[in-house]
Amino acid sequence: MKKLVCSLILLLSVNSIFAQAPLVKEKENGYKGQSIEGLVYQPESFSFLAIGDFGRVGNYYQKEVARELGHAMVSLDGEFVVSVGDNFYPNGVASTQDYHWISSYESIYTDPSLYTDWYVALGNHDYQGNVQAQIDYSEISRRWHMPSRYYSETFKLDNGEKVLLVVMDTNPFIDSYHKKSKYTDLKEQDTEAQLHWIKQTLGQEDQSIQWKIVVGHHPMYSGGKRKESKDTQDFQQKFADLFDQYQVDAYICGHEHDLQIIKPKGRYTTQFLSGSASEVRPSGVMEHTIFWAAEPGFMSFSIVDNQLIVQVVKATKDRAEVLYTHTIKK
């Protein structure tokens, strides 16, 4: 019995070490960041983080979430960060020299691990400013990536398989926005051209693409503020069938300032809503809700052994914890 107990303790200790392997290594090298309670590192995994609705000059919970985003990036040995839009409140940026870049981005996300690639989508608040300035900032910043309003990236895994990341611009597909003058140059955007591009990109004949992930600002489903919104319902009608048709594994979005995971029965695509990187609003459930929390935080995505493992992280004043873990198996 004593040997069994010792073996179990040893096994738990080994698992704990592997779970925190990258962070342990960096701490040995002098890194001062903290661990996140419950956050599990999968050896040999390909990981990235997703946040949304963040740019508030460090106000609300932005600094707390930014701090823990850095800790998670080190702990998971992350590859990049995804932003689902509403990068600058309340009215986007005016130019590449707008001080918002410093006050809401450069001076907030300062952990060394976050000086990596950020793949950024546009939100509705970004459309209230100079969208082209956010695209042009890609030529100024080492980490900010927005080569155009919609684009894609492909990542090769160690086993030779690939991950396709499609970043779309959802704003022109929201019909009610076309009636509002505050959304600069939105009416000039060609939704048919983007839709054709989305289909062509998702439908490309590359057998090595094993995971398809789409990023956009607006949700197809919500149990939060926009649960009954016509904008949400219309967006679902436009894209839910399309994502299923092209077997999109995950749709990552924001717009709602909370954390939600939703997958309707019979659907292929799981929606991951990560929109609480600064402000948090009351939320709730809908019929197909898997998880929800009106908490500040973000989500991590790890691909390993034909699994996509998603961990939902809550950030508070002086710590963070994993609230929920969801796994998609191929």
Side-chain angles (χ1 to χ4, degrees):
M1 183 67 181
K2 186 176 181 180
K3 286 185 177 179
L4 177 60
V5 172
C6 290
S7 297
L8 287 172
I9 292 173
L10 178 62
L11 180 61
L12 289 171
S13 298
V14 170
N15 286 340
S16 177
I17 290 172
F18 275 111
Q20 297 295 331
L23 182 61
V24 169
K25 179 181 177 182
E26 290 305 308
K27 279 186 170 294
E28 291 175 350
N29 295 337
Y31 181 68
K32 299 298 192 296
Q34 302 301 309
S35 60
I36 294 176
E37 182 181 342
L39 188 68
V40 176
Y41 165 69
Q42 301 287 342
E44 308 303 323
S45 61
F46 177 93
S47 299
F48 65 93
L49 306 179
I51 66 170
D53 305 73
F54 67 77
R56 294 183 183 272
V57 198
N59 210 334
Y60 296 81
Y61 296 100
Q62 190 184 4
K63 288 183 179 179
E64 289 87 344
V65 174
R67 181 195 67 220
E68 300 304 333
L69 196 74
H71 296 166
M73 184 63 86
V74 175
S75 297
L76 299 175
D77 194 19
E79 302 289 335
F80 55 85
V81 178
V82 163
S83 169
V84 301
D86 275 3
N87 308 310
F88 301 99
Y89 288 92
N91 300 312
V93 292
S95 70
T96 58
Q97 303 304 310
D98 194 314
Y99 192 67
H100 233 330
W101 289 106
I102 304 298
S103 61
S104 289
Y105 183 60
E106 301 291 1
S107 68
I108 303 297
Y109 302 99
T110 57
D111 192 287
S113 67
L114 299 179
Y115 283 84
T116 186
D117 297 320
W118 287 55
Y119 296 101
V120 188
L122 290 165
N124 54 296
H125 283 271
D126 301 311
Y127 259 92
Q128 295 179 46
N130 185 343
V131 171
Q132 188 60 44
Q134 293 201 36
I135 296 171
D136 293 343
Y137 198 72
S138 302
E139 300 298 321
I140 296 174
S141 170
R142 158 61 183 84
R143 51 180 173 169
W144 186 271
H145 289 272
M146 188 188 290
S148 56
R149 296 178 193 237
Y150 52 90
Y151 58 96
S152 68
E153 295 284 343
T154 303
F155 306 93
K156 192 171 183 178
L157 305 178
D158 290 341
N159 62 5
E161 295 178 350
K162 295 177 183 176
V163 179
L164 175 63
L165 182 74
V166 176
V167 181
M168 61 183 293
D169 180 5
T170 59
N171 297 281
F173 294 99
I174 305 301
D175 296 336
S176 66
Y177 289 0
H178 291 266
K179 303 174 184 177
K180 300 176 181 179
S181 59
K182 65 181 179 180
Y183 294 124
T184 60
D185 77 0
L186 185 140
K187 293 180 180 179
E188 300 173 16
Q189 305 312 308
D190 188 340
T191 54
E192 289 300 318
Q194 184 180 173
L195 190 59
H196 175 76
W197 174 84
I198 291 171
K199 292 177 179 178
Q200 189 176 49
T201 305
L202 290 175
Q204 60 185 284
E205 295 182 4
D206 185 344
Q207 297 302 315
S208 63
I209 295 176
Q210 294 301 306
W211 296 94
K212 296 178 181 179
I213 298 171
V214 176
V215 176
H217 184 62
H218 295 84
M220 295 186 292
Y221 325 103
S222 178
K225 175 183 177 181
R226 298 177 174 90
K227 180 177 180 179
E228 306 295 338
S229 167
K230 188 175 187 303
D231 287 343
T232 302
Q233 295 171 356
D234 289 348
F235 190 75
Q236 174 190 337
Q237 291 177 1
K238 291 175 182 178
F239 288 100
D241 287 343
L242 187 149
F243 289 166
D244 282 355
Q245 177 186 348
Y246 290 100
Q247 295 193 316
V248 172
D249 298 288
Y251 175 57
I252 307 174
C253 60
H255 199 43
E256 297 280 51
H257 298 172
D258 52 40
L259 301 162
Q260 301 182 52
I261 302 175
I262 299 173
K263 184 182 180 182
K265 184 177 180 180
R267 287 291 182 190
Y268 185 90
T269 304
T270 306
Q271 175 185 280
F272 299 91
L273 195 157
S274 180
S276 59
S278 58
E279 182 190 39
V280 176
R281 282 197 299 248
S283 188
V285 300
M286 62 170 294
E287 181 182 358
H288 308 292
T289 298
I290 296 173
F291 170 84
W292 72 276
E295 301 286 358
F298 56 91
M299 296 184 183
S300 72
F301 295 76
S302 300
I303 296 173
V304 62
D305 297 332
N306 294 317
Q307 297 182 99
L308 175 60
I309 303 169
V310 183
Q311 300 179 82
V312 183
V313 179
K314 170 187 174 181
T316 59
K317 182 179 180 181
D318 53 11
R319 60 185 293 273
E321 63 179 304
V322 173
L323 297 178
Y324 188 80
T325 299
H326 183 79
T327 301
I328 298 176
K329 297 181 179 180
K330 282 288 190 181

